[in-house]
Amino acid sequence: MYLEVQDNTIILPTGGGGNWGPKRYENIVAHLTEDPPDHFHEVAVSRDARGNYYCSFVYDDAEQHEDDDQHKAHKRRKKQKQRPLRDEGIVAFDLGIKTLATGYTKQGRFYHIGGFKGYRYYNKQLDKIRSKRDKCKKKSRRYLHLSRVYKRVAEQKRRKQQDCLHKASHLIAHRLAERAVVIGDLSQRQMVIKKREDETPKERRKRQIRNRMVYNDWGLYSFVQMLAYKCLRFGKELFIISERDTTRTCHVCKRQKDMPLWVRTYRCENCGLVMDRDENSAVNIYQRFLAGPPPHTP
Ligand SMILES: [Zn+2]
Protein backbone atom coordinates (compact mmCIF):
# COMPACT_ATOMS: atom_id res chain seq x y z
CA MET A 1 0.00 0.00 0.00
CA TYR A 2 2.98 2.32 0.28
CA LEU A 3 4.03 1.87 -3.29
CA GLU A 4 3.41 4.67 -5.71
CA VAL A 5 3.40 4.08 -9.43
CA GLN A 6 3.24 6.92 -11.94
CA ASP A 7 3.45 5.75 -15.51
CA ASN A 8 6.78 4.02 -15.68
CA THR A 9 8.14 5.24 -12.38
CA ILE A 10 7.80 3.36 -9.13
CA ILE A 11 8.64 4.86 -5.74
CA LEU A 12 9.86 2.47 -3.12
CA PRO A 13 9.80 4.17 0.29
CA THR A 14 12.62 3.67 2.76
CA GLY A 15 12.18 3.64 6.53
CA GLY A 16 12.29 6.59 8.93
CA GLY A 17 10.96 10.14 8.69
CA GLY A 18 8.16 11.87 10.60
CA ASN A 19 7.42 10.17 13.92
CA TRP A 20 9.77 7.35 13.06
CA GLY A 21 12.97 9.30 13.67
CA PRO A 22 15.47 10.56 11.18
CA LYS A 23 15.05 9.41 7.61
CA ARG A 24 18.45 8.14 6.68
CA TYR A 25 17.94 7.18 3.06
CA GLU A 26 15.97 8.88 0.35
CA ASN A 27 13.06 7.02 -1.24
CA ILE A 28 14.11 4.95 -4.20
CA VAL A 29 12.72 6.14 -7.51
CA ALA A 30 13.02 3.45 -10.16
CA HIS A 31 12.15 3.50 -13.84
CA LEU A 32 10.30 0.50 -15.21
CA THR A 33 10.91 -0.78 -18.72
CA GLU A 34 7.27 -1.91 -19.14
CA ASP A 35 3.87 -0.65 -18.02
CA PRO A 36 2.88 -2.28 -14.74
CA PRO A 37 -0.59 -3.94 -14.53
CA ASP A 38 -3.48 -1.89 -13.15
CA HIS A 39 -4.48 -3.84 -10.05
CA PHE A 40 -1.41 -5.52 -8.75
CA HIS A 41 -1.36 -7.19 -5.36
CA GLU A 42 2.27 -7.48 -4.45
CA VAL A 43 5.57 -6.39 -5.86
CA ALA A 44 8.78 -8.29 -5.39
CA VAL A 45 12.07 -6.55 -6.09
CA SER A 46 15.06 -8.72 -6.89
CA ARG A 47 18.56 -8.31 -8.23
CA ASP A 48 20.47 -10.67 -10.45
CA ALA A 49 24.20 -11.42 -10.41
CA ARG A 50 24.95 -8.65 -12.91
CA GLY A 51 23.37 -6.03 -10.68
CA ASN A 52 20.16 -5.56 -12.67
CA TYR A 53 17.06 -4.94 -10.59
CA TYR A 54 13.67 -6.47 -11.40
CA CYS A 55 10.17 -5.63 -10.18
CA SER A 56 7.77 -8.59 -10.34
CA PHE A 57 4.08 -7.70 -10.13
CA VAL A 58 1.58 -10.26 -8.89
CA TYR A 59 -1.89 -9.79 -10.35
CA ASP A 60 -5.04 -11.52 -11.61
CA ASP A 61 -5.16 -10.87 -15.30
CA ALA A 62 -8.91 -11.43 -15.39
CA GLU A 63 -9.34 -8.49 -13.03
CA GLN A 64 -7.68 -6.01 -15.33
CA HIS A 65 -10.75 -4.84 -17.22
CA GLU A 66 -13.06 -4.46 -14.25
CA ASP A 67 -14.39 -1.11 -13.24
CA ASP A 68 -12.28 0.57 -10.60
CA ASP A 69 -15.00 1.44 -8.07
CA GLN A 70 -16.71 -1.88 -8.38
CA HIS A 71 -13.41 -3.55 -7.80
CA LYS A 72 -12.80 -1.76 -4.52
CA ALA A 73 -16.32 -2.35 -3.23
CA HIS A 74 -16.15 -6.06 -3.82
CA LYS A 75 -12.66 -6.52 -2.55
CA ARG A 76 -12.21 -8.20 0.80
CA ARG A 77 -15.91 -8.74 1.36
CA LYS A 78 -15.43 -12.44 1.66
CA LYS A 79 -12.27 -14.04 2.83
CA GLN A 80 -12.28 -16.79 0.25
CA LYS A 81 -13.89 -15.04 -2.63
CA GLN A 82 -14.63 -16.70 -5.91
CA ARG A 83 -11.71 -16.03 -8.19
CA PRO A 84 -12.45 -13.98 -11.25
CA LEU A 85 -13.10 -16.02 -14.37
CA ARG A 86 -12.11 -15.10 -17.87
CA ASP A 87 -15.08 -15.13 -20.22
CA GLU A 88 -14.67 -17.62 -22.99
CA GLY A 89 -11.52 -18.90 -21.38
CA ILE A 90 -10.66 -22.46 -22.23
CA VAL A 91 -7.90 -24.60 -20.82
CA ALA A 92 -7.20 -28.03 -22.31
CA PHE A 93 -5.33 -30.66 -20.33
CA ASP A 94 -3.36 -33.69 -21.38
CA LEU A 95 -3.29 -36.19 -18.54
CA GLY A 96 -0.30 -38.46 -18.26
CA ILE A 97 1.97 -40.60 -16.16
CA LYS A 98 5.16 -38.57 -16.11
CA THR A 99 3.38 -35.24 -15.70
CA LEU A 100 -0.03 -35.52 -14.12
CA ALA A 101 -1.53 -32.74 -16.22
CA THR A 102 -0.23 -30.41 -18.90
CA GLY A 103 -2.52 -27.55 -19.78
CA TYR A 104 -2.77 -25.15 -22.71
CA THR A 105 -4.77 -21.93 -22.93
CA LYS A 106 -5.85 -19.49 -25.59
CA GLN A 107 -3.13 -17.09 -24.49
CA GLY A 108 -0.59 -19.72 -25.46
CA ARG A 109 0.33 -20.34 -21.87
CA PHE A 110 1.24 -23.80 -20.57
CA TYR A 111 0.45 -25.16 -17.14
CA HIS A 112 2.42 -28.09 -15.76
CA ILE A 113 1.08 -30.00 -12.80
CA GLY A 114 3.60 -32.54 -11.62
CA GLY A 115 1.64 -34.86 -9.38
CA PHE A 116 2.74 -37.28 -6.72
CA LYS A 117 6.41 -38.17 -6.75
CA GLY A 118 7.13 -40.69 -4.00
CA TYR A 119 6.08 -43.97 -5.62
CA ARG A 120 9.54 -45.47 -5.69
CA TYR A 121 10.26 -44.56 -2.11
CA TYR A 122 7.07 -46.18 -0.86
CA ASN A 123 7.08 -49.15 -3.21
CA LYS A 124 10.59 -50.08 -2.18
CA GLN A 125 9.61 -50.04 1.47
CA LEU A 126 6.44 -51.98 0.85
CA ASP A 127 8.18 -54.67 -1.18
CA LYS A 128 10.79 -55.11 1.49
CA ILE A 129 8.28 -55.40 4.32
CA ARG A 130 6.21 -57.88 2.38
CA SER A 131 9.12 -60.10 1.50
CA LYS A 132 10.26 -60.11 5.13
CA ARG A 133 6.78 -60.99 6.26
CA ASP A 134 6.41 -63.80 3.79
CA LYS A 135 9.47 -65.48 5.22
CA CYS A 136 7.83 -65.70 8.67
CA LYS A 137 5.50 -68.36 9.88
CA LYS A 138 1.89 -67.36 9.37
CA LYS A 139 0.15 -65.81 12.40
CA SER A 140 3.43 -65.64 14.30
CA ARG A 141 4.10 -62.50 16.30
CA ARG A 142 6.60 -61.19 13.82
CA TYR A 143 4.27 -61.95 10.95
CA LEU A 144 1.43 -59.99 12.56
CA HIS A 145 3.76 -57.13 13.42
CA LEU A 146 5.03 -56.86 9.86
CA SER A 147 1.48 -57.00 8.55
CA ARG A 148 0.59 -54.04 10.71
CA VAL A 149 3.62 -52.10 9.53
CA TYR A 150 2.77 -52.89 5.94
CA LYS A 151 -0.75 -51.64 6.39
CA ARG A 152 0.46 -48.44 8.00
CA VAL A 153 2.94 -47.62 5.24
CA ALA A 154 0.42 -48.46 2.52
CA GLU A 155 -2.13 -46.20 4.17
CA GLN A 156 0.39 -43.39 4.33
CA LYS A 157 1.20 -43.74 0.67
CA ARG A 158 -2.47 -43.78 -0.30
CA ARG A 159 -3.21 -40.66 1.72
CA LYS A 160 -0.28 -38.74 0.27
CA GLN A 161 -1.41 -39.70 -3.19
CA GLN A 162 -5.02 -38.71 -2.61
CA ASP A 163 -3.95 -35.44 -1.06
CA CYS A 164 -1.87 -34.69 -4.09
CA LEU A 165 -4.73 -35.41 -6.48
CA HIS A 166 -7.06 -33.24 -4.43
CA LYS A 167 -4.62 -30.37 -4.56
CA ALA A 168 -4.06 -30.73 -8.28
CA SER A 169 -7.76 -30.86 -9.12
CA HIS A 170 -8.47 -27.96 -6.77
CA LEU A 171 -5.80 -25.96 -8.51
CA ILE A 172 -7.44 -26.54 -11.88
CA ALA A 173 -11.02 -26.03 -10.69
CA HIS A 174 -10.49 -23.10 -8.35
CA ARG A 175 -7.32 -21.24 -9.12
CA LEU A 176 -7.21 -21.08 -12.89
CA ALA A 177 -9.10 -18.22 -14.48
CA GLU A 178 -10.45 -20.22 -17.43
CA ARG A 179 -14.13 -21.02 -17.40
CA ALA A 180 -14.09 -24.24 -19.39
CA VAL A 181 -11.81 -27.19 -18.71
CA VAL A 182 -11.22 -29.78 -21.43
CA ILE A 183 -9.62 -33.17 -20.87
CA GLY A 184 -9.14 -36.26 -22.97
CA ASP A 185 -11.29 -39.33 -22.56
CA LEU A 186 -9.25 -41.89 -20.66
CA SER A 187 -11.40 -44.91 -21.41
CA GLN A 188 -9.91 -45.15 -24.87
CA ARG A 189 -6.38 -45.24 -23.68
CA GLN A 190 -4.28 -48.38 -23.71
CA MET A 191 -1.79 -47.88 -20.94
CA VAL A 192 -1.42 -51.42 -19.67
CA ILE A 193 1.17 -53.65 -21.33
CA LYS A 194 -0.11 -57.13 -22.06
CA LYS A 195 1.89 -60.18 -21.08
CA ARG A 196 3.74 -61.87 -23.92
CA GLU A 197 5.07 -65.41 -23.98
CA ASP A 198 8.50 -64.59 -25.38
CA GLU A 199 9.27 -61.53 -23.29
CA THR A 200 12.81 -60.96 -22.03
CA PRO A 201 13.44 -60.41 -18.30
CA LYS A 202 13.93 -56.73 -19.03
CA GLU A 203 10.58 -56.49 -20.76
CA ARG A 204 8.98 -58.40 -17.94
CA ARG A 205 10.32 -55.97 -15.37
CA LYS A 206 9.16 -53.05 -17.46
CA ARG A 207 5.69 -54.50 -17.80
CA GLN A 208 5.47 -55.07 -14.04
CA ILE A 209 6.56 -51.53 -13.21
CA ARG A 210 4.23 -49.98 -15.75
CA ASN A 211 1.18 -52.00 -14.78
CA ARG A 212 1.72 -51.36 -11.11
CA MET A 213 1.92 -47.70 -11.98
CA VAL A 214 -1.32 -47.79 -13.94
CA TYR A 215 -3.35 -50.01 -11.65
CA ASN A 216 -2.18 -48.99 -8.19
CA ASP A 217 -0.39 -45.70 -8.21
CA TRP A 218 -1.62 -43.51 -10.93
CA GLY A 219 -5.08 -42.66 -9.66
CA LEU A 220 -6.03 -40.81 -12.80
CA TYR A 221 -9.58 -42.07 -12.67
CA SER A 222 -10.18 -40.72 -9.20
CA PHE A 223 -8.43 -37.56 -10.34
CA VAL A 224 -11.00 -37.10 -13.11
CA GLN A 225 -13.81 -37.65 -10.63
CA MET A 226 -12.40 -35.10 -8.23
CA LEU A 227 -12.02 -32.69 -11.10
CA ALA A 228 -15.63 -33.26 -12.15
CA TYR A 229 -17.19 -32.41 -8.80
CA LYS A 230 -14.80 -29.56 -8.06
CA CYS A 231 -15.55 -27.96 -11.42
CA LEU A 232 -19.25 -28.25 -10.68
CA ARG A 233 -18.72 -26.67 -7.30
CA PHE A 234 -16.76 -23.70 -8.59
CA GLY A 235 -19.04 -23.11 -11.54
CA LYS A 236 -16.82 -24.33 -14.32
CA GLU A 237 -17.65 -26.53 -17.20
CA LEU A 238 -15.73 -29.74 -17.73
CA PHE A 239 -15.66 -31.30 -21.17
CA ILE A 240 -14.34 -34.75 -21.95
CA ILE A 241 -13.44 -35.27 -25.58
CA SER A 242 -11.79 -38.01 -27.55
CA GLU A 243 -8.04 -37.83 -27.28
CA ARG A 244 -7.41 -40.22 -30.10
CA ASP A 245 -4.09 -39.57 -31.86
CA THR A 246 -3.49 -36.37 -29.92
CA THR A 247 -0.01 -37.46 -28.90
CA ARG A 248 0.82 -38.76 -32.36
CA THR A 249 -0.18 -35.70 -34.33
CA CYS A 250 1.94 -32.61 -34.94
CA HIS A 251 -0.22 -29.66 -33.94
CA VAL A 252 1.22 -27.44 -36.66
CA CYS A 253 1.08 -29.55 -39.82
CA LYS A 254 -1.21 -32.40 -38.60
CA ARG A 255 1.24 -35.05 -39.81
CA GLN A 256 1.10 -38.20 -37.66
CA LYS A 257 3.90 -40.43 -36.46
CA ASP A 258 4.41 -43.11 -33.86
CA MET A 259 5.29 -41.91 -30.40
CA PRO A 260 6.50 -44.65 -28.06
CA LEU A 261 5.99 -43.70 -24.41
CA TRP A 262 9.67 -43.18 -23.68
CA VAL A 263 10.00 -40.46 -26.32
CA ARG A 264 9.40 -37.29 -24.33
CA THR A 265 9.95 -34.75 -27.12
CA TYR A 266 7.92 -34.48 -30.26
CA ARG A 267 10.11 -33.81 -33.29
CA CYS A 268 8.26 -33.29 -36.54
CA GLU A 269 10.29 -34.21 -39.62
CA ASN A 270 7.83 -32.40 -41.85
CA CYS A 271 7.67 -28.90 -40.38
CA GLY A 272 10.51 -29.04 -37.89
CA LEU A 273 8.40 -28.66 -34.75
CA VAL A 274 10.30 -29.56 -31.59
CA MET A 275 8.12 -29.64 -28.49
CA ASP A 276 7.46 -31.50 -25.29
CA ARG A 277 5.13 -34.39 -26.13
CA ASP A 278 2.59 -33.51 -23.44
CA GLU A 279 2.49 -29.87 -24.52
CA ASN A 280 1.93 -30.86 -28.13
CA SER A 281 -0.86 -33.17 -27.03
CA ALA A 282 -2.49 -30.45 -24.92
CA VAL A 283 -2.47 -28.08 -27.88
CA ASN A 284 -4.10 -30.80 -30.00
CA ILE A 285 -6.84 -31.35 -27.44
CA TYR A 286 -7.42 -27.60 -27.29
CA GLN A 287 -7.67 -27.29 -31.06
CA ARG A 288 -9.87 -30.33 -31.34
CA PHE A 289 -12.24 -28.90 -28.77
CA LEU A 290 -12.52 -25.62 -30.66
CA ALA A 291 -12.97 -27.32 -34.02
CA GLY A 292 -15.00 -30.33 -32.99
CA PRO A 293 -18.75 -30.61 -33.32
CA PRO A 294 -20.60 -29.78 -30.12
CA PRO A 295 -22.14 -31.05 -27.97
CA HIS A 296 -19.20 -32.54 -26.13
CA THR A 297 -20.11 -34.77 -23.23
CA PRO A 298 -19.92 -32.67 -20.08
ZN1 LIG B 1 4.71 -30.83 -38.17
Side-chain angles (χ1 to χ4, degrees):
M1 70 172 69
Y2 305 110
L3 296 179
E4 238 179 90
V5 180
Q6 292 153 351
D7 296 327
N8 279 349
T9 308
I10 186 167
I11 298 172
L12 305 165
T14 53
N19 294 331
W20 301 97
K23 189 170 175 71
R24 288 210 248 154
Y25 302 103
E26 288 299 311
N27 287 344
I28 296 164
V29 180
H31 297 285
L32 304 170
T33 51
E34 284 175 48
D35 285 333
D38 291 336
H39 309 286
F40 56 84
H41 298 291
E42 277 174 32
V43 180
V45 181
S46 54
R47 192 182 71 163
D48 68 8
R50 292 200 178 123
N52 299 318
Y53 284 86
Y54 297 92
C55 281
S56 307
F57 293 84
V58 178
Y59 67 98
D60 280 319
D61 59 351
E63 252 173 46
Q64 293 303 305
H65 304 298
E66 267 179 34
D67 189 11
D68 238 19
D69 306 331
Q70 194 194 354
H71 176 72
K72 273 178 192 140
H74 281 289
K75 212 179 167 189
R76 312 240 177 272
R77 184 168 290 169
K78 256 194 271 173
K79 194 115 180 97
Q80 217 192 13
K81 62 167 183 180
Q82 175 73 47
R83 295 192 172 253
L85 292 175
R86 246 187 239 123
D87 296 332
E88 319 250 325
I90 297 168
V91 56
F93 277 100
D94 173 72
L95 307 179
I97 289 186
K98 279 269 155 62
T99 319
L100 181 65
T102 308
Y104 179 73
T105 66
K106 190 182 172 188
Q107 285 76 27
R109 193 188 288 168
F110 286 103
Y111 296 116
H112 296 267
I113 299 171
F116 181 55
K117 282 287 186 309
Y119 300 120
R120 286 238 189 106
Y121 168 79
Y122 281 107
N123 287 346
K124 226 164 95 184
Q125 279 188 46
L126 288 170
D127 289 347
K128 200 161 204 171
I129 296 166
R130 196 171 47 214
S131 82
K132 268 186 185 168
R133 187 192 66 178
D134 291 346
K135 282 181 201 131
C136 304
K137 207 177 142 198
K138 275 220 168 113
K139 305 283 180 190
S140 66
R141 255 173 61 171
R142 188 169 158 74
Y143 181 93
L144 291 177
H145 168 70
L146 287 171
S147 289
R148 271 198 296 275
V149 174
Y150 183 88
K151 229 170 118 183
R152 199 175 58 218
V153 175
E155 173 79 19
Q156 206 175 46
K157 175 184 151 193
R158 208 160 40 236
R159 277 171 192 263
K160 275 244 163 74
Q161 206 177 323
Q162 288 292 339
D163 182 54
C164 168
L165 293 179
H166 270 296
K167 279 184 180 142
S169 53
H170 185 265
L171 183 95
I172 294 173
H174 188 50
R175 307 296 290 254
L176 299 189
E178 281 74 21
R179 192 179 289 280
V181 180
V182 185
I183 56 171
D185 182 7
L186 297 171
S187 61
Q188 296 164 350
R189 204 186 275 198
Q190 311 274 307
M191 297 305 284
V192 176
I193 304 174
K194 288 214 177 71
K195 190 178 177 180
R196 288 211 324 261
E197 288 305 317
D198 56 339
E199 65 186 5
T200 61
K202 204 178 161 191
E203 281 174 338
R204 181 162 166 266
R205 184 83 195 119
K206 196 184 153 199
R207 175 172 61 83
Q208 284 173 341
I209 291 175
R210 164 75 63 70
N211 290 3
R212 181 183 202 163
M213 190 90 196
V214 173
Y215 285 131
N216 300 347
D217 297 337
W218 201 13
L220 212 49
Y221 294 88
S222 54
F223 177 65
V224 171
Q225 269 166 357
M226 287 174 191
L227 197 59
Y229 84 73
K230 286 197 168 81
C231 281
L232 197 68
R233 188 171 155 219
F234 294 115
K236 291 200 183 186
E237 277 187 290
L238 179 71
F239 297 96
I240 299 173
I241 66 169
S242 162
E243 57 164 15
R244 203 177 157 166
D245 297 332
T246 46
T247 33
R248 296 179 62 226
T249 310
C250 166
H251 81 267
V252 179
C253 66
K254 312 294 171 208
R255 187 73 64 91
Q256 294 191 355
K257 67 169 201 169
D258 278 339
M259 284 292 283
L261 268 171
W262 46 269
V263 180
R264 304 307 308 165
T265 311
Y266 193 100
R267 287 170 204 279
C268 181
E269 288 85 14
N270 190 37
C271 69
L273 174 82
V274 177
M275 199 177 198
D276 179 81
R277 70 177 278 148
D278 297 332
E279 291 185 356
N280 178 54
S281 176
V283 176
N284 277 329
I285 293 175
Y286 178 84
Q287 290 175 349
R288 179 170 296 178
F289 177 75
L290 285 192
H296 300 285
T297 44

